[in-house]
Amino acid sequence: MLGLDTVDWTVVVVYLLGITALGVWSKRAVHDREDFLLGGRRFGKAMMVMHAFGTGTHTDQAAAVVSRSYAHGVSGIWAQWNWMMVTPFYWLLAPLLRRSRVLTIADWYEERYGPSVGILAVIVSSIGSIFAIGTMLLGTSRTVQGLLAIDPALDVLRLPFGLVVPDASFNVSLFVMTALFLLYGAFGGIVGAVRTDFVQGFMIIILSGLALPFAFHGIGGMSGVARGVPDGFLNLTGERFSLVFIGALTITSLFSIVSQSHIISVTSAGRTEWEGRVGMTYGNFLKRLCTIAWCLLGVVWLVRAPGLANPDAAFGDAVSKLLPLGLRGLMLASIMAAAMSTCDSMMVAVSGLCTETVYRRHIRRDAPEAHYLNVARVISAIVVIGAIIFAYSVTDIFQGLTSFWKVTATMGIAFWLGVLWRRSTTAGAWASFLAAAAAWFVALRVLGWSEGQQMALYIPVGILAGIVVSLVTPAPNRASLDRFFTKIHTPIGHDDKLGLSFDEAVPPHARLIDAAGILVCKPSRQSWLGFVVAWLIVGILVGGMWLIVRV
């Protein structure tokens, strides 16, 4: 029936209804905006790890890695491992964001630069999230379509009054997922997202490697793969994913992460900054581990099923043909739920951005709390409509992912200038964004440059513009600047220091660099030791992957 057995469909229905019920039930814990957006900042390490993992891991990424690995070999792993070299910096970034004590990332930009940059952050982060949600819906629906393995000529849905829905498995899965995550996300807010992420995170870990034993069976392990793929397909770098392109992706990722709409929830929904940095760093390392399984599945499937017309369907095709009865349904349900758990986190984050930074401050002040919650839910629906439109406008999953990264990176330049350089101004923040966006447009539309060339151009152009314009415009107000830097350098639990002057809260002996406006504080033992450990894990994962493909 529709590509699956009755047992599989039973598993799908029970799983999705259970996840949805858990999200809707979470409405009981939502009483105000802080509950809706950050869960009252009460989650522990395990929940934060799974929240970061579940929010950052979704089917379009697995489908993209399998697709790129099927088409380009092991180097396709960098379709997601572009975040690998950035992950150690999460250990330092998480407490920086938690100490800002804000509800949304736009609040951070507003406190540093003023209302106009806060609104700009809302716009950029919202567009980026719409791109991301749309890409997730696209990638997941295409994977579901491949998993069902329905003849395209029969893949139609006949409705009353003679209406016919073509490409039915794609369209139905897209709208079913959308309806379910919109339902529990709008009711349960980030509490529902974290709870469903916790359950879904374990399922992703298990199911990421579930198909591999079946895929390797009968082909002689990696030596059999080596005999069946073109020369160079087992190298960690290649023509499509060269070292230069990987470097450009990595730099873009460092700027992209700090303006994504959900970054505050995955770093700041924990009880203290410790929960935030453990969750953000190690939740994402779990994702890097799962990426190895996705990559191997792509290259193995090239050996077992060469010649697929559309590599984006490789993930679903492999799962549909490899997994036995019952497990196919579990994989299908998990694939859909993984996308839903991330979509609702981003949807809630965008609704918070728009409600808190724009509506409450500039349209209607001092309304009842219930009014703002209802506005956030309406905005959630608008975001979803935009995401659906984007899903239908993009045909390549990896293209959708890079669009998301590049949009948010244009805003991230102002973040890092604002953290590291006290002289950075509001005009400089605007200049960095506008110059980067203009350089990207010229490189893409006028010069026709590749993605790697685009990234190598617009980030340096944006940095240079931000520095030059900041130097020729009046310096920021010293009092407000001191308040901001006092806050981001005061650990959670030491709030008594927030009333001190900047020189008292951050004395000269606590500063590693303090010259020409550049301010870098001395890292604590927890910071530098955790940073070193994170780099060791990077080495283990990259080195381990290198050994695996040479066994």
Side-chain angles (χ1 to χ4, degrees):
M1 181 176 66
L2 293 178
L4 293 180
D5 190 273
T6 303
V7 173
D8 291 309
W9 281 116
T10 301
V11 172
V12 171
V13 172
V14 171
Y15 190 100
L16 292 182
L17 288 179
I19 284 289
T20 303
L22 176 61
V24 173
W25 177 73
S26 299
K27 183 178 185 293
R28 299 172 53 181
V30 177
H31 306 291
D32 55 29
R33 279 170 291 135
E34 187 168 41
D35 286 338
F36 187 77
L37 299 176
L38 294 177
R41 303 186 195 266
R42 56 177 173 264
F43 296 110
K45 293 186 290 295
M47 294 292 279
M48 289 296 289
V49 166
M50 287 304 177
H51 178 38
F53 176 69
T55 297
T57 308
H58 25 93
T59 313
D60 61 303
Q61 297 171 341
V65 172
V66 173
S67 169
R68 298 305 95 174
S69 300
Y70 183 93
H72 304 288
V74 170
S75 64
I77 197 170
W78 296 103
Q80 272 304 304
W81 263 18
N82 60 296
W83 299 94
M84 176 66 83
M85 305 305 174
V86 178
T87 309
F89 292 94
Y90 294 169
W91 188 259
L92 306 178
L93 176 64
L96 190 67
L97 291 170
R98 178 66 175 89
R99 292 173 188 181
S100 66
R101 299 163 172 86
V102 296
L103 289 178
T104 71
I105 190 60
D107 292 343
W108 189 99
Y109 281 96
E110 180 168 339
E111 288 200 15
R112 176 60 177 87
Y113 291 112
S116 68
V117 179
I119 292 175
L120 176 63
V122 171
I123 296 170
V124 174
S125 295
S126 298
I127 292 172
S129 293
I130 287 172
F131 285 5
I133 295 172
T135 303
M136 283 178 243
L137 294 175
L138 168 68
T140 305
S141 299
R142 287 299 177 205
T143 300
V144 169
Q145 189 175 41
L147 196 153
L148 295 178
I150 301 174
D151 184 340
L154 303 176
D155 195 13
V156 295
L157 179 64
R158 302 187 184 281
L159 300 175
F161 307 108
L163 297 176
V164 176
V165 178
D167 211 10
S169 58
F170 173 82
N171 288 296
V172 170
S173 62
L174 187 150
F175 281 97
V176 166
M177 287 188 297
T178 301
L180 293 178
F181 83 73
L182 180 60
L183 175 66
Y184 72 69
F187 278 100
I190 205 64
V191 180
V194 173
R195 288 175 177 172
T196 55
D197 282 343
F198 187 81
V199 175
Q200 188 56 28
F202 285 109
M203 294 307 302
I204 295 171
I205 294 169
I206 295 170
L207 295 175
S208 287
L210 188 62
L212 276 180
F214 298 99
F216 274 112
H217 180 71
I219 66 170
M222 285 305 301
S223 59
V225 172
R227 292 190 297 269
V229 298
D231 290 342
F233 257 51
L234 296 185
N235 295 332
L236 274 177
T237 60
E239 182 179 352
R240 179 65 178 87
F241 290 91
S242 64
L243 285 175
V244 173
F245 184 48
I246 293 168
L249 281 174
T250 299
I251 293 171
T252 296
S253 302
L254 185 61
F255 286 90
S256 170
I257 190 65
V258 292
S259 61
Q260 293 181 17
S261 60
H262 61 288
I263 188 63
I264 293 296
S265 76
V266 296
T267 59
S268 305
R271 287 188 288 267
T272 69
E273 58 192 60
W274 172 251
E275 283 83 8
R277 75 190 332 174
V278 169
M280 181 66 173
T281 306
Y282 289 94
N284 280 283
F285 271 132
L286 279 177
K287 177 180 174 180
R288 312 295 176 249
L289 183 62
C290 289
T291 306
I292 294 176
W294 305 339
C295 176
L296 292 175
L297 182 60
V299 292
V300 172
W301 200 241
L302 175 62
V303 175
R304 297 187 64 113
L308 288 181
N310 182 5
D312 282 350
F315 185 38
D317 186 59
V319 169
S320 69
K321 295 176 180 176
L322 291 173
L323 295 183
L325 180 69
L327 288 182
R328 287 193 302 262
L330 187 59
M331 178 66 89
L332 174 59
S334 185
I335 283 170
M336 296 177 72
M340 289 158 50
S341 69
T342 307
C343 286
D344 82 304
S345 293
M346 287 193 168
M347 178 190 72
V348 169
V350 173
S351 68
L353 284 172
C354 297
T355 304
E356 181 72 13
T357 307
V358 179
Y359 186 84
R360 187 180 70 83
R361 296 178 190 173
H362 302 286
I363 297 177
R364 184 173 177 184
R365 297 175 179 269
D366 302 321
E369 198 68 34
H371 175 79
Y372 293 123
L373 284 175
N374 289 332
V375 170
R377 287 165 178 149
V378 170
I379 292 172
S380 296
I382 296 172
V383 168
V384 168
I385 292 171
I388 291 173
I389 293 172
F390 183 77
Y392 280 105
S393 67
V394 178
T395 57
D396 181 86
I397 299 172
F398 189 62
Q399 176 193 352
L401 287 173
T402 54
S403 296
F404 166 48
W405 300 335
K406 287 184 283 190
V407 165
T408 48
T410 57
M411 193 74 221
I413 298 169
F415 179 93
W416 288 114
L417 287 175
V419 166
L420 299 174
W421 192 38
R422 287 169 57 86
R423 187 62 177 78
S424 183
T425 66
T426 300
W430 273 96
S432 68
F433 166 75
L434 293 173
W440 176 23
F441 178 83
V442 170
L444 175 65
R445 298 298 182 185
V446 180
L447 301 177
W449 284 5
S450 67
E451 289 168 334
Q453 291 171 318
Q454 294 166 33
M455 295 174 189
L457 175 68
Y458 76 83
I459 295 292
V461 167
I463 293 172
L464 181 61
I467 292 173
V468 170
V469 173
S470 291
L471 289 174
V472 299
T473 52
N477 177 272
R478 180 63 181 269
S480 61
L481 195 66
D482 282 352
R483 284 194 299 272
F484 175 82
F485 276 91
T486 295
K487 189 162 68 165
I488 67 170
H489 290 296
T490 298
I492 299 298
H494 296 269
D495 291 3
D496 54 307
K497 293 185 178 180
L498 294 176
L500 301 177
S501 68
F502 174 68
D503 286 332
E504 291 175 315
V506 188
H509 66 79
R511 306 171 195 176
L512 183 64
I513 302 174
D514 186 11
I518 298 174
L519 176 65
V520 178
C521 289
K522 294 179 181 178
S524 65
R525 181 180 180 183
Q526 183 186 100
S527 293
W528 69 258
L529 187 58
F531 188 64
V532 170
V533 169
W535 275 111
L536 290 175
I537 295 174
V538 168
I540 291 171
L541 290 174
V542 176
M545 185 61 184
W546 184 85
L547 288 173
I548 287 172
V549 297
R550 275 157 177 75
V551 171

